[in-house]
Structure formats: structure tokens, C-alpha cells
Amino acid sequence: QKKKYNYSLGVSWQLAELKGKIIAVTKDSIIRKTFNNLLPNARLQYNFTRYRNLVINYATNTNQPAASQLQPVPDNSDPLNIRVGNPDLQQEFSHSMRLQFSSINPFKNKNFFLFLNLIKTDNKIVNDDRFLGGIKTSRPVNVDGIYNFNGDISIGFPVRRVKGTVNLSSNGGYYRNKQLVNGVENTSNTFSAGPDIRLDMSLGEKVNWSVGAGINYNNTKYSLPMARDAKYISQQYSTEFDWQLPKN
């Protein structure tokens, strides 16, 4: 702990044990899986002024496979969509980095915020879909190279004419995912971005009204030609009304 900044470093030990019973027609079987992990973490905060600071967080976490994903007995309840488990499946391991910058002026009712998030996932559990004679067989497998990056920036300032506050923001993101089709990787790259605006107004001491609008652009491209790319725009509108009734 210093005058201008503070930081912390840590690590935690995680033990996850999974036990499942598979009830089959011929005989029952028991699935056991144990995962041991050391999960590091870190945090840094730098204070430029009393109302302006930068915070950086690093954390790790895991996601264990479910018993249904590990069981090797085929699920034929839907003859056209057969599911088979993978007893060699490994757990997902994610690294996440978050950056947050905030600047607030309480005397002029102005603010500025910036958020950036990056998540990298190793051994991501995805489906390997195989098609044969109109029948799809799905089996979970582990893949690497999964990324999720997103950010948001916003500015707020007063509008005296309407006795309110305007908040302008813009968000963007990039997501890279993978699936397997007949043993071949199908990589999807998704990009999204869009602005938002919100107006908060005070219609008296006991009445507040806010309106907002936003638009978002999404574009997904796949590496395999058989998968159709997707591109669309979504819109969102909102309003909120608060009224403090008599006698509070």
C-alpha cells in the first residue's frame, strides 16, 4: 500500500472432484475425475487524483466438464442426433485481464469511464459434430485459441436546459470461437460495436424521467464455406419513470 498506488499478488489452490454413475442397459459404470489447480491472481490500482484512478485486474478460473460430457455410453434417445461423451476430456482454464479507468468531477457533475476486458480460454470444451447418412453424432472435445475481447467507453455531463444529465457510451467486442465439423475446425470470428445515449431528467424534487436509445452492429464470419456468415443490426429503446408518492 503506497501513497499513489497499491497492488496485490496471490494464488489459490483448487481441488475439484467429480463422481457420476452411468446407468446403461447392460451394466452400470462409475465415472471419477479429479482436477488440481493453482490459480494466480493480481491487482494494481494507481490513483492519479482523489477522483481519477486506474485499476488492472488479472484472474484465472476453471470450468470442469459435466458427467454427461465424460460418459462414453452413446445417448440414442434421439436417433438422428446421437451424443457420445469423452472420458479424456480436460477442464477449461481461463485467463482474464480487466482494465478500468474512471475520472469523476463531482463539482461539475461530469464523468468519464473506460472498461477493457480480455479473456483467453485454453482447453475450451466444444462439440465435434460428425454427419453420416443424415445422422449427426456429437462428441465434446478440447480446443485452444478461444478469445473474448470487449470494451466500453462512456462520458456523462449535465444539460442545464432540461435539468438533466446526458450519458454517451460506445461498446465494441471481438469473440473468436471454434467448433469441429467432421473433424475439421470451423473457426468463427464475431465483431460487434455500437453507440448508446441516455438522458436523465429531473421534473421536480420527487419526479425523475429517463430515456435511452442504442444501436449495435454484429458481424460473424466462419472459416468453413458450408457455414453461413451472419450480419445484422439490432436497436434498443428504453424509458424509466420514478415518482416518489406522498408521505414518502
Side-chain angles (χ1 to χ4, degrees):
Q1 182 76 35
K2 303 294 183 179
K3 184 177 180 180
K4 279 283 188 179
Y5 66 92
N6 62 80
Y7 67 90
S8 66
L9 301 171
V11 63
S12 61
W13 172 60
Q14 182 188 74
L15 170 65
E17 294 183 347
L18 175 66
K19 179 181 178 182
K21 182 177 183 181
I22 305 302
I23 302 175
V25 177
T26 55
K27 65 176 182 177
D28 297 345
S29 58
I30 301 296
I31 289 180
R32 297 179 183 270
K33 203 81 170 180
T34 301
F35 300 99
N36 283 286
N37 292 281
L38 291 176
L39 304 176
N41 62 81
R43 184 181 188 275
L44 168 67
Q45 177 174 337
Y46 187 87
N47 302 310
F48 300 94
T49 65
R50 182 180 178 184
Y51 301 106
R52 182 179 300 169
N53 64 66
L54 174 69
V55 179
I56 301 176
N57 280 290
Y58 168 75
T60 53
N61 61 78
T62 63
N63 181 34
Q64 287 75 31
S68 59
Q69 295 175 315
L70 294 170
Q71 60 91 11
V73 181
D75 179 5
N76 298 314
S77 56
D78 184 352
L80 298 180
N81 295 280
I82 301 174
R83 303 187 65 86
V84 182
N86 182 2
D88 298 323
L89 206 59
Q90 299 298 313
Q91 63 178 352
E92 299 178 355
F93 195 98
S94 296
H95 306 262
S96 62
M97 181 77 73
R98 176 182 174 89
L99 182 147
Q100 173 183 332
F101 175 79
S102 61
S103 178
I104 302 173
N105 188 334
F107 309 105
K108 295 184 179 180
N109 198 21
K110 295 181 179 180
N111 60 73
F112 173 81
F113 297 101
L114 173 66
F115 300 95
L116 295 175
N117 295 282
L118 173 63
I119 301 175
K120 176 181 180 291
T121 303
D122 299 323
N123 290 328
K124 178 72 174 180
I125 300 175
V126 302
N127 281 335
D128 181 2
D129 296 329
R130 297 177 182 264
F131 298 86
L132 180 63
I135 299 176
K136 183 179 77 172
T137 302
S138 299
R139 180 174 180 265
V141 295
N142 295 110
V143 296
D144 293 325
I146 307 299
Y147 298 93
N148 187 358
F149 176 76
N150 61 80
D152 185 271
I153 184 172
S154 64
I155 301 174
F157 53 88
V159 181
R160 306 188 186 280
R161 182 173 296 181
V162 295
K163 297 181 180 181
T165 303
V166 170
N167 285 280
L168 301 174
S169 65
S170 181
N171 67 85
Y174 167 74
Y175 183 53
R176 178 184 175 91
N177 197 12
K178 292 181 180 180
Q179 295 289 121
L180 275 76
V181 180
N182 292 330
V184 181
E185 284 191 357
N186 183 24
T187 303
S188 64
N189 295 278
T190 301
F191 171 77
S192 65
D196 289 273
I197 183 172
R198 179 184 174 95
L199 173 62
D200 296 293
M201 295 171 288
S202 176
L203 306 181
E205 295 183 357
K206 298 184 178 182
V207 179
N208 294 288
W209 182 38
S210 65
V211 291
I215 189 171
N216 207 65
Y217 168 79
N218 294 267
N219 189 357
T220 301
K221 293 185 177 181
Y222 298 91
S223 59
L224 291 182
M226 67 180 66
R228 293 186 178 181
D229 296 342
K231 185 187 301 183
Y232 64 91
I233 293 177
S234 61
Q235 303 175 58
Q236 177 177 313
Y237 304 92
S238 64
T239 183
E240 187 175 316
F241 182 78
D242 295 315
W243 174 29
Q244 184 177 326
L245 299 176
K247 297 183 180 182
N248 297 322

